[in-house]
Structure formats: structure tokens, C-alpha cells
């Protein structure tokens, strides 16, 4: 699977998301091989510059609308704020959690994923530690490494 993403900056409500000062990002996101439903909209759009490839790891569960991005030194939680009829979505970064992650922060992530937190969870110091906890204690969380082409419009 691959995530295809096309973004532009903007804010649906004129406000920054809670916990961060970053603007809301509008994006088409798909965990499909090709985002056919957005092809027509993309044909008509004019990019404002070149694009670039990016590799990221997403942590997802079926019931959650939050996207959790696993980065080298932190975890970013993005929340779906709005969706246009074309399928373009407004995503807000609502939390940036630097490593180490303490158990209450893991419980907060589990709440967003709509799953039970681990019974016993140590402090998580690294990405590798986090992968181990997910594999051992949170099998409902899917780890999805992806490469995406990003281009601003």
C-alpha cells in the first residue's frame, strides 16, 4: 500500500489547531495504489511549485479518524477537521509528542485510536521501543510505512 497525498495550506475556520501553532493542511489522502477519485480535481489544479518524495510511517486503526505519524524523534497526531465535496480534507496537527513517551501519553494515543491501552507499559524511549510495544501489546494498531509524492497547490 502507498499513501498518495497532495496538499495546500489553508485553514477552514481561520484558526490554528489546538496544542500547535501550525495551520490546518488541506490534503487528498488515500491508502490506495492510485487515488482515482481525485484524478479529475488534480487535472484541473495548478501546482505552485515542484514536488518531492517523502517516507513516513503511519500508525492507524480502523475506527479512528486520527492519523498518527511516527517520526524519528516524536509522534505527531493529526485529526480530520473538515472534508470538501471533492474529497479534499483539512487535517490539523493536534499533538506533537516527543520521545520518551510516558504511559499517560500512550493511553492518550490509544484513546485516539479507540482501543484499550496496554495493561503494563514502560516508558518508550525510541521508535524501535514503540514498534515493539505495538507488536506485543497493541496488535489492532497497524504500522503502515509509506512513500508519498507531495506537491503544493
Amino acid at each position: 500500500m502507498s499513501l498518495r497525498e497532495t496538499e495546500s495550506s489553508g485553514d477552514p475556520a481561520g484558526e490554528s489547531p489546538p496544542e500547535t501553532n501550525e495551520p490546518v493542511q488541506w490534503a487528498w489522502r488515500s491508502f490506495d495504489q492510485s487515488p482515482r477519485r481525485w484524478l479529475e480535481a488534480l487535472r484541473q489544479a495548478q501546482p505552485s511549485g515542484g514536488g518531492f518524495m517523502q517516507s513516513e510511517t503511519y500508525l492507524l486503526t480502523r475506527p479512528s479518524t486520527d492519523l498518527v505519524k511516527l517520526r524519528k524523534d516524536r509522534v505527531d497526531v493529526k485529526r480530520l477537521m473538515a472534508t470538501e465535496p471533492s474529497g479534499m480534507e483539512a487535517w490539523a496537527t493536534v499533538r506533537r509528542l516527543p520521545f520518551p513517551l510516558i504511559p499517560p501519553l500512550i493511553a492518550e494515543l490509544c484513546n485516539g485510536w479507540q482501543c484499550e491501552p496496554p495493561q503494563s507499559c514502560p516508558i518508550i524511549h525510541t521508535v524501535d521501543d514503540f514498534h515493539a510495544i505495538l507488536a506485543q501489546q497493541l496488535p489492532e494498531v497497524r504500522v503502515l510505512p509509506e512513500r508519498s509524492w507531495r506537491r503544493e497547490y
Side-chain angles (χ1 to χ4, degrees):
M1 278 194 228
S2 174
L3 172 76
R4 307 281 183 209
E5 179 174 40
T6 307
E7 299 189 346
S8 70
S9 296
D11 189 334
E15 300 174 8
S16 293
E19 300 275 338
T20 70
N21 291 321
E22 298 175 21
V24 170
Q25 292 184 326
W26 285 92
W28 281 294
R29 294 180 193 263
S30 173
F31 289 92
D32 304 331
Q33 287 295 329
S34 77
R36 296 188 201 299
R37 62 183 167 157
W38 303 304
L39 229 56
E40 193 58 37
L42 287 172
R43 275 192 201 110
Q44 298 171 14
Q46 297 296 317
S48 62
F52 60 94
M53 288 298 292
Q54 183 170 336
S55 294
E56 297 177 308
T57 300
Y58 284 82
L59 306 174
L60 309 168
T61 61
R62 288 196 182 276
S64 179
T65 57
D66 287 354
L67 288 178
V68 178
K69 285 187 178 183
L70 187 56
R71 308 226 186 236
K72 183 176 120 181
D73 60 344
R74 69 178 191 265
V75 174
D76 292 347
V77 179
K78 295 183 177 266
R79 183 156 299 142
L80 181 62
M81 305 301 280
T83 303
E84 289 186 341
S86 69
M88 186 175 260
E89 300 167 332
W91 290 89
T93 301
V94 294
R95 293 283 276 156
R96 288 199 186 280
L97 305 171
F99 285 107
L101 298 176
I102 58 175
L105 295 178
I106 300 302
E108 183 181 323
L109 289 172
C110 288
N111 185 50
W113 285 321
Q114 299 177 27
C115 66
E116 290 296 317
Q119 293 288 331
S120 170
C121 186
I123 294 174
I124 298 173
H125 294 277
T126 66
V127 171
D128 291 337
D129 292 346
F130 202 16
H131 278 284
I133 291 294
L134 291 170
Q136 294 167 4
Q137 298 189 39
L138 294 167
E140 61 269 49
V141 177
R142 299 291 179 235
V143 179
L144 182 64
E146 63 78 28
R147 289 179 49 87
S148 61
W149 174 256
R150 298 173 73 95
R151 178 175 255 179
E152 292 191 8
Y153 288 83

